[in-house]
Amino acid sequence: MFARRLALVENLLAAVPFAVVAVVAFVNVLSRYFFNASLAFTSELTVNLAVWMVMMGAVIGLREGAHLGFSALYDHVPGVVRGVLTVVITLTVLAFLAVLLLFGLEMALQQAERGRATPSIGVPQWVFTIALPIGALLGVYRAVQAGVSGFQASTVEQSPSEEAER
């Protein structure tokens, strides 16, 4: 039940910014075409919401197993090596996410302390920057989840070359 609700939250955190960007970009195109005027805030909003979309897309990729299988190498090695690769890849992803979590949180806190706001729309900048640590936290959960299931699968399954030897 928790996994389904978390997946729904992750999907919403990716889909809502995407929908806002699509609507804002469409309105900007209409504004340029009919009024010969561009809406200045659209590029600012689009760039800042892209941070949310990228982070949530990476989390969804981890959840769906899109990151942890370098299949050209991974699919052609025996189960033991596959298990080692799974651990190494998972630890590498976790190290990257830990750095992203620490620096993203530090940056968001500094922006909040200084009262930084976006130039055109005046939204506090930390609202967009907080996507980094939130995405990193969700990514840690999903990376561990994918790593454990990948490791378990590597100890149970045999690679195609092992099956051919039998």
Side-chain angles (χ1 to χ4, degrees), residues 24-43:
V24 166
F26 180 70
V27 168
N28 192 32
V29 168
L30 291 178
S31 173
R32 280 191 220 157
Y33 183 76
F34 289 114
F35 304 114
N36 204 24
S38 180
L39 304 173
F41 72 93
T42 58
S43 62

Side-chain angles (χ1 to χ4, degrees), residues 91-140:
L91 290 175
T92 304
V93 169
L94 289 173
F96 173 76
L97 291 171
V99 169
L100 196 59
L101 172 67
L102 293 174
F103 286 116
L105 188 59
E106 181 182 340
M107 187 179 350
L109 289 173
Q110 287 176 354
Q111 290 171 343
E113 286 173 3
R114 293 182 178 140
R116 281 197 62 198
T118 59
S120 295
I121 53 180
V123 173
Q125 186 65 47
W126 67 266
V127 170
F128 300 112
T129 306
I130 200 75
L132 297 173
I134 289 173
L137 279 175
L138 292 171
V140 165

